[in-house]
Amino acid sequence: MTAVDSRPVDTNSAGAGHRPLGSRVMGFIALTKPRIIELLLMTTIPVMFLAAQGVPDLWLVFATCFGGYLSAGGANSLNMYLDRDIDALMHRTSNRPLVTGMVSPAEALVFGISLAVVSTLWFGLLVNWLSAALALGALLFYVVVYTMLLKRRTSQNIVWGGIAGCMPVLIGWSSVTDSLSWGAVVLFLVIFFWTPPHYWPLSMKVKEDYARVGVPMLPVIAANTVVARQIVVYSWVMVAVSLTLWPLGYVGWFYTSVAAAAGIWWLWEAHALQSRARAGVTGAALKEMRLFHWSITYVSLVFLAVAIDPFVG
């Protein structure tokens, strides 16, 4: 595994005189990783419907989602600040604002910390302090535990680092009830077991990038057959956990039917990827991104069913 290039990253290549306001604003927005936050909100809002067993207060939905955007945006900004050295060397991250110089490291650091403070106060004052504590905990876990401690040290980085991505489920539930329940824990675990088989196919696709900067993502240090086997194991556990909401009494036939059907399709794709890996297929023919794209569809369908179930279950 190659070491990270120790040469300083030129984060001022754009120059102060070549950073128009509109581009600067877009640079700060890019620091928050809006596409990832879309996925976080996709899991937050449906859980609020389930917790309320109907339509939650719409102001509360807005306050929770906006606070979640601020908190996740702060975490993502600090992640980019800490990872700016390897981002400059990876093809998939070479256009990030700290790499291009559109935003300076100092600006990103202040921006991230400011979002962390504002989001915590927003949650505490306008939602509840339990949700504030969960949001702050998720931010600190992502920045300190995942980015600073795990990412560059262990192939299990995405497994445990994914805990931060599970927290919106708990935040959504707590925002409505000011408490937690087994239903929230189950959905937390669905996202926990979903994260590795969601991200590992993408890591298989771009493993040369990770190898170049010395980040030991599982596909970098293990054969495709090993990665595919792990994907299948996590997939089976994820689907099984998703179906426990029914015997626990939190959902009815609608959610259970959707989760079962989507889970069967997921397992089909996971086993198909494993079969191709075992056959020694490599390159584009491995089709690892099929499972990555399906994983986003899967979580969208399951959590949409979470929101609809109180009305038809």
Side-chain angles (χ1 to χ4, degrees):
M1 187 177 299
T2 58
V4 177
D5 193 330
S6 61
R7 290 173 296 178
V9 177
D10 179 10
T11 55
N12 294 301
S13 58
H18 301 281
R19 299 189 293 175
L21 179 60
S23 297
R24 295 261 293 146
V25 170
M26 294 305 297
F28 280 101
I29 293 175
L31 283 178
T32 67
K33 300 183 184 178
R35 292 189 65 183
I36 292 178
I37 293 175
E38 287 177 14
L39 188 61
L40 299 181
L41 297 181
M42 188 187 305
T43 59
T44 303
I45 297 174
V47 171
M48 297 181 72
F49 277 74
L50 184 62
Q53 282 298 296
V55 180
D57 179 84
L58 295 182
W59 160 252
L60 183 62
V61 173
F62 168 77
T64 302
C65 290
F66 187 69
Y69 179 84
L70 294 178
S71 181
N76 290 330
S77 299
L78 294 173
N79 168 267
M80 284 199 199
Y81 168 78
L82 293 167
D83 277 352
R84 64 192 187 277
D85 58 336
I86 60 176
D87 282 349
L89 303 175
M90 295 175 62
H91 176 72
R92 61 184 291 264
T93 56
S94 60
N95 288 322
R96 286 181 172 176
L98 280 171
V99 178
T100 63
M102 195 55 63
V103 177
S104 73
E107 290 169 335
L109 179 61
V110 171
F111 183 64
I113 293 173
S114 298
L115 288 182
V117 173
V118 171
S119 64
T120 303
L121 293 175
W122 175 278
F123 268 117
L125 297 174
L126 298 178
V127 181
N128 58 58
W129 287 105
L130 174 58
S131 297
L134 291 170
L136 180 59
L139 183 150
L140 293 175
F141 194 93
Y142 184 68
V143 173
V144 178
V145 178
Y146 172 67
T147 304
M148 297 178 67
L149 300 179
L150 295 178
K151 184 174 181 178
R152 308 191 194 197
R153 289 180 172 85
T154 171
S155 63
Q156 297 299 301
N157 47 22
I158 201 64
V159 175
W160 300 108
I163 288 176
C166 306
M167 295 299 283
V169 172
L170 302 185
I171 294 168
W173 192 282
S174 67
S175 68
V176 173
T177 66
D178 200 10
S179 64
L180 297 175
S181 74
W182 284 113
V185 172
V186 167
L187 291 170
F188 174 97
L189 291 175
V190 169
I191 298 299
F192 177 78
F193 290 111
W194 169 85
T195 302
H198 158 70
Y199 197 79
W200 280 332
L202 175 62
S203 300
M204 294 170 78
K205 179 73 173 179
V206 299
K207 64 181 179 181
E208 299 303 326
D209 257 359
Y210 284 117
R212 186 181 307 114
V213 297
V215 174
M217 289 292 179
L218 184 62
V220 173
I221 67 168
N224 286 343
T225 52
V226 174
V227 179
R229 183 171 65 247
Q230 288 294 307
I231 286 173
V232 166
V233 170
Y234 275 90
S235 298
W236 273 99
V237 176
M238 175 197 70
V239 173
V241 169
S242 73
L243 296 175
T244 62
L245 278 180
W246 177 49
L248 288 174
Y250 287 98
V251 296
W253 67 268
F254 181 79
Y255 166 85
T256 305
S257 300
V258 173
I264 289 170
W265 189 262
W266 176 296
L267 293 173
W268 176 274
E269 289 290 350
H271 279 279
L273 175 60
Q274 184 181 39
S275 295
R276 292 191 293 272
R278 284 176 171 173
V281 175
T282 58
L286 185 59
K287 299 179 182 178
E288 65 280 301
M289 292 300 286
R290 281 185 56 164
L291 184 58
F292 173 78
H293 292 305
W294 168 246
S295 69
I296 298 173
T297 303
Y298 169 86
V299 81
S300 302
L301 290 173
V302 168
F303 277 83
L304 181 60
V306 166
I308 295 175
D309 190 84
F311 302 98
V312 298

